[in-house]
Amino acid sequence: MSVWDDLVGQEPAVGILQRAVSGAAARLRGESGAATAGMTHAWLITGPPGSGRSNAGRAFAAALQCANEGCGECNECRTALSGAHPDVSLIRTELLSIRVSEIRELIRRAAMSPTQGRWQVMVVEDADRLTEQAADALLKSIEEPGPKTIWVLCAPTVEDVVPTIRSRCRLLVLRTPPVPAVAEMLSRTLGVDAELAGFAARAAQGHIGRARALARDETVRERRTKVLEVPFALRDLGACLKAAQQLAEAAKEEAKGSAAAVDEKERAALEQALGVGTKGAKPREAAAAVKDLEEQQKARAKRWERDVLDRSLVDLMALYRDVLVVQTRAGSELINAELHTSIVQFAERTTPEQTIRRIDALAACREAIEMNVAPLLALEAMTIALFEG
Amino acid sequence: MTNGVGAGIVGRAWDAGFVMAARRSAAPKLGDVLLVTGSETFLADRAVRSAIAAVSKGKSDVEVTDLGAGELDVGVFAELTGPSLFSAERVLVLRMLENLPTEMVPYLLEYAGAPADDMLVVLVHSGGQKGKAVLDKLRKASVNEVVATAPKTWELPQFVAGEIRLLGGTIDERGAAALVDAVGHDLRALAGACSQLVSDSGGQAISTDLIGQYFGGRAEVTSFAVADAAIAGRTEPALEQLRWALDCGVAAVLVTSAMAGGLRGLAKYSSAPPGLREADLAREVGVPPWKLKTLRQQARGWTPGGLATAIKAVAQADADVKGASGDAGYALERMVITVSRAHGRR
């Protein structure tokens, strides 16, 4: 058992982090020179979605705080991993961006010495969602942090953070976890059979959270199957529009489903904190605070909806990738092996050029949704392009 | 705010009949507390101004204090409402009553119960739910109320007619409707137009010709008008409408969404299975049944290929107006041209 167990298929990166942790421990003992060479004060961890960037950030934070360099069992390790450690700040957002006001507060905390004497670790899990001002506000603090402060930023790619931040951090790249490693992890932690684990690992394409959901939840698998039926149903213009509508509605439904549970709980907690329903005067800004929360929840639901859509589009891209594999006789393993016959038939009916254009249309749709184009409209343009080929 | 709440209501602010009456008999006088409620700031302002004018008619030394209710505290309020050292006649206007600090409410109500003789207090509430409790209490204290809600769209010609009568001119029903069509729904603009027309008509009844001469072609254009023209394949009118719409302040995203909605309905209509009953067809397309007639008309001249091109152009334009390109106006024009040319394509 160690804090690194959760990082599936990232052995090279784990090696680098472990060296860094030893270096940090050496520095705490007062050594310098070669013994501390592996450590630095600012890290940028990048990797594709679901590869475990934020897990890596947390594990690193835990190992830094742990007296045994990441045993995973001591109090330090457990509190750091859960986010309860007083010297580890985990910054993430469920909204579309991290605002400069939040970052200013963080910088203040970063300037303090650690309460328990080891390190003050600041983990920004969504560095790609920093607004420009927020990123600018961070620069000074990242360049010259306090003697015991360590910044760990996580982002999908280096291009997602501004160059000025990039140049102040040491870069650590996580790879897409290999399918066998993910499958092995699924069977080990969830106890699912090898076939299901293999399917989930392949279908998730290295996204560990997605693989877990696919292995665990029948409805998630069903939704994915529905999405993958889309290309085979595009017979005419009407069918294209209908498919787009179904995709949009399914995304909205799923986002609403996951939001409903959380929203209600948050609202209840806020109302209790404000003393709604008790005797006595209501605080003057109570209604405003509730409204504020509702707005935040709305923004979050919107982001979830977009995330779901993006995932559907990635699944579709994988399908066309399989078609292309068959058409070009590349011989690599199919991601959607269970749809083998349909894929082969589809491959025979169409040309590789068409498949490439279809994959481009999917990429354009992802970009359009990112650009805030009305999702339904973007999906319609996409299904029409898929149909036209 | 509905008409007829509480006994103290003296009228709707836009109703010319009321304003006339107010000038003659029920004018606010010193010693009154007047409540002005409603979201239409133009009318609220006018009610406040006419109240001040009514009180200060023929006097030169009426002192007017105008401040936001949010800044009020006990000391300031006592100073403002207390007996004056120089016994001047005063008007106190409290705006944004919804921001009144809670601790001030009892003082205000106390004053409303026993107002000073040499003072008119005008309380302006901007409508909405906030501060409703204070309003209800004031109404119970039976202060006079003027309701400044905006007239509904269909009441606008009536507003225009009243406005013009008030200024000493005349206009017939058709003329009033034409003026509303030409100037739009903004009350300030309408009132300005009325006063201009009356002063330039030289005592004649205001004719539609005169309206055309002054305000010709400045009609309000909605994004739907643009979409309808483009979908009908009329390129030039569609472009003209687009320019008007953008000049009238219609947001670019509304144009793309109206266009997307129009094309979506059309595409669903033209690819719906044949032989459906009206009601089923409307459900299949996702529009109210009365819309089917329009769709049937529009669907002539559209092929699936043309519709596909048009929808893709709209999606591109939507991205463009949301920041993918530098010039939203150009992106929209290109979209309108692409869509209207896609009409009638084989």
Side-chain angles (χ1 to χ4, degrees), chain B residues 23-187:
Chain B
R23 285 200 173 166
R24 259 182 257 117
S25 60
K29 54 187 187 304
L30 295 173
D32 274 357
V33 176
L34 182 67
L35 183 60
V36 179
T37 57
S39 53
E40 179 54 57
T41 50
F42 169 68
L43 294 175
D45 274 352
R46 179 191 275 189
V48 171
R49 257 179 304 156
S50 71
I52 295 174
V55 169
S56 50
K57 199 150 95 189
K59 297 170 192 149
S60 58
D61 57 347
V62 174
E63 184 188 319
V64 179
T65 317
D66 195 330
L67 81 170
E71 304 156 28
L72 211 59
D73 62 36
V74 182
V76 174
F77 188 64
E79 190 182 322
L80 288 171
T81 55
S84 163
L85 191 56
F86 306 106
S87 72
E89 292 166 333
R90 288 156 298 155
V91 178
L92 170 61
V93 182
L94 283 182
R95 293 186 195 265
M96 313 244 272
L97 193 63
E98 63 275 15
N99 292 341
L100 188 75
T102 331
E103 61 271 20
M104 285 305 300
V105 174
Y107 294 96
L108 188 63
L109 290 174
E110 188 189 345
Y111 178 84
D117 299 339
D118 56 353
M119 179 159 190
L120 168 68
V121 175
V122 185
L123 306 169
V124 187
H125 185 274
S126 332
Q129 286 303 307
K130 201 176 167 197
K132 195 140 185 306
V134 186
L135 283 187
D136 290 339
K137 283 180 192 151
L138 282 168
R139 283 184 189 130
K140 250 184 218 144
S142 69
V143 300
N144 288 337
E145 178 172 359
V146 175
V147 181
T149 37
K152 299 276 185 294
T153 315
W154 63 87
E155 290 171 333
L156 282 171
Q158 204 186 333
F159 168 77
V160 166
E163 195 66 29
I164 286 187
R165 199 160 357 111
L166 200 64
L167 293 161
T170 48
I171 191 167
D172 59 12
E173 223 168 275
R174 259 192 39 229
L179 187 59
V180 173
D181 280 345
V183 176
H185 297 170
D186 183 55
L187 288 190

Side-chain angles (χ1 to χ4, degrees), chain A residues 238 245 372-374 380 388, chain B residues 264 267-268 271 312 318 322:
Chain A
Q245 194 179 352
N372 220 357
V373 171
E380 282 167 354
E388 288 177 340
Chain B
R264 184 175 299 137
K268 282 188 179 167
S271 59
K312 281 198 287 187
D318 199 40
K322 283 168 179 164

Side-chain angles (χ1 to χ4, degrees), chain B residues 202-229:
Chain B
Q204 307 273 316
I206 293 164
S207 62
T208 34
D209 287 348
L210 190 68
I211 294 169
Q213 198 181 331
Y214 275 74
F215 302 103
R218 249 196 54 191
E220 242 169 37
V221 178
T222 63
S223 51
F224 296 103
V226 181
D228 285 345

